[in-house]
Amino acid sequence: MRYCIVNNCKSTSECEDIILFGFPKQYTAEWVKVVNIPGWLPKKGSVICSLHFPSDVIQGKRLVPGAFPIDDRLVNIATGNALNFLFYNL
């Protein structure tokens, strides 16, 4: 079973309606910030789940080119089966 590497996320490969995305080489530095684990670096097989991406960058089971996960400075509000992300001022 694979797990989303983002700190405090409980998503796994067994979760229904969750897609796991591997780390692309050209975006590793930006993606690592979202993981929010000091000193952590991605390993082969490290993944981030679809809950950490805006829905408009997910097409089927793939991300659009240039997609980035959402960082922990965002607030999420669950509404039914949808997850909406709202920005707040820091």
Side-chain angles (χ1 to χ4, degrees):
M1 177 175 10
R2 295 170 75 186
Y3 299 85
C4 178
I5 194 65
V6 174
N7 197 16
N8 296 319
C9 185
K10 305 298 182 206
S11 296
T12 71
S13 56
E14 293 183 359
C15 293
E16 200 170 313
D17 298 325
I18 296 292
I19 304 166
L20 300 176
F21 300 106
F23 280 66
K25 292 179 185 177
Q26 66 270 36
Y27 300 121
T28 299
E30 290 83 358
W31 284 44
V32 169
K33 289 180 200 174
V34 174
V35 173
N36 196 23
I37 299 174
W40 181 86
L41 292 175
K43 297 167 184 61
K44 185 177 181 180
S46 294
V47 293
I48 295 179
C49 77
S50 52
L51 295 178
H52 305 288
F53 292 88
S55 59
D56 63 339
V57 301
I58 301 172
Q59 293 182 340
K61 293 190 176 198
R62 295 182 172 255
L63 294 172
V64 298
F68 290 92
I70 298 171
D71 68 29
D72 63 353
R73 292 175 291 170
L74 298 173
V75 177
N76 62 60
I77 299 173
T79 56
N81 291 331
L83 190 63
N84 295 317
F85 293 93
L86 303 172
F87 290 89
Y88 68 92
N89 295 323
L90 297 177

